[in-house]
Amino acid sequence: MKKRMFASIFFSLLVAIFVAGCSDSGASSSGGDGENVLIVRATGDPMSFNPDTTADDNAYAIVQNLFNRLVKLDASKQVIPDLAKDWEVSEDGLAITFYLNENAKWHDGEPVTSEDVKYTFETIQANKTYYFSSRLEIVDSIETPDDHTVVFHMKSPDVSFIADLGWYATFILPEHVFNTDVSWEDNTASKEPIGSGPFKFGEFKQGVNVTLVPNEDYHEGKPKIDKLVFSIIPDEQTAIQALINGEIDVFENVPSSSVEQLKSRDNVRLELNEYPSPARIIFNLTKEEVADVNVRQAIATAIDKEEISKKVYSGIQKPEYSMYPSLIDWAANTEDTSPEFNIEKAEQILIDAGYEKDANGFYVSGIPLEVFEGSGYPDMANLMKATLAKAGIGIDIKVSEFNAWNQKITVDKNFVLELQGGFMGPDPAAMAKRYGTGVGSNYGEYSNSKFDELTKKAASTGDQELRAQYYKEAQAILAEDLPFIPIVTFAGYDANNSSFVNLPIDGAGKWGWAEYTFTERK
């Protein structure tokens, strides 16, 4: 006997990325030849147009419109069909079967088949540096009974796997294009992509924009707009001015300081969204400077989250103390949490651990904190530096452009402290993907066997009450070990040109986040 599973999940984006705004006058939406153009603000150049080799924030919204996954996440944080029109899970949880849309085609006209799905995931599984590779360790084999059926045979049951397929780096790639003698990274299709999504690749002007054009043969129907442009504007205030000038139409996660200004504009639609993606400090536990848990506890106790929330985010992004986002109330442990702010207690922790002040009044100093530009992160870091100094803890802030920061943190892992956001969904199993022993996204190389055991148990049962118990116990371990410190929640206003309808925010149950297939002018 089989049962159908549609997982209800929670979703957010990694840090403020591929942010988007709306046009005040609507001038940006019509090309000189009468084209209906939608312009979305992006924060930086994509690192690649191959969506599966790495988790590239700048490319996410772009590839969302070029490629398909088996399933995708909608605006209401639920799993909905994508290439897979339906799926089912065996009674023992060890076989997950997906039934593909029979009409899907690649942009070059070739049909999308189950062999493309099998090829994509087997290649990711075999390449340990690819983002989703470690997650696929739970898959024993992939079977293709026919052209439109794919069966994942699991080594053990995991109720979060389906939801994960709608997350990062899980887009289906064409085998006939990528199965060559060269690597995915060196394949020309990683620069001039061939997908199956609603839009086709047009052109990429580095530092300027990425242009997509409608896929007239898209299996869900040709998109309503004539051109989709991602305008690369790294600076937030420049992007706000572009929004006011009518030069962009979509701006996700408007800076809190600009919200009131935009509320007064009639043609701007603002909607507040909260996501389980708290800003947090990650400790590199291989580094001597933070290997002592007492130092980590002292740092956590000397960070004034209330001040950061008010001064940097106007209170929109609330202080976060839980080790899993408090937004997901059924899974969050609100009792065993990160420390409350207390300068005197932070200093006493270091004294009790045997640390002594140097001539400059610091117990520990010179600890580098890696931060990327934007999202209020440099301002947040400066506020933390000031309160940490009062507790005798000295940090040096290193601000980088996002791609440079990403290389240093996620690839080289060359840091002591780093400040990041990041999606803690689409299921609480994300805890294991962030902090489980040996997983790719565990940048600080934290390892605790009891934590690993608890998160594995939680992922193996469909009983939500039991899952919550396991996850809360795992959070208690995180609160004690402090491999990271949650700082503030992630929330922001999405701004859109009010002359457009059927935008991503309107797509609950209908289309994916950052997907513009059905967007059109009123």
Side-chain angles (χ1 to χ4, degrees), residues 269-289:
R269 173 190 171 194
L270 290 172
E271 295 284 347
L272 181 64
N273 277 289
E274 296 181 88
Y275 312 99
S277 299
R280 51 195 178 268
I281 285 180
I282 305 292
F283 295 99
N284 187 339
L285 300 183
T286 69
K287 301 296 184 180
E288 182 180 356
E289 296 95 325

Side-chain angles (χ1 to χ4, degrees), residues 52-65:
D52 291 342
T53 56
T54 187
D56 183 357
D57 292 344
N58 289 336
Y60 183 85
I62 300 168
V63 298
Q64 172 87 348
N65 291 278

Side-chain angles (χ1 to χ4, degrees), residues 97-118:
T97 303
F98 294 92
Y99 301 99
L100 306 184
N101 190 305
E102 295 89 347
N103 298 318
K105 295 180 181 179
W106 297 107
H107 292 161
D108 62 6
E110 292 293 317
V112 177
T113 73
S114 57
E115 289 299 326
D116 294 308
V117 178
K118 176 180 172 71

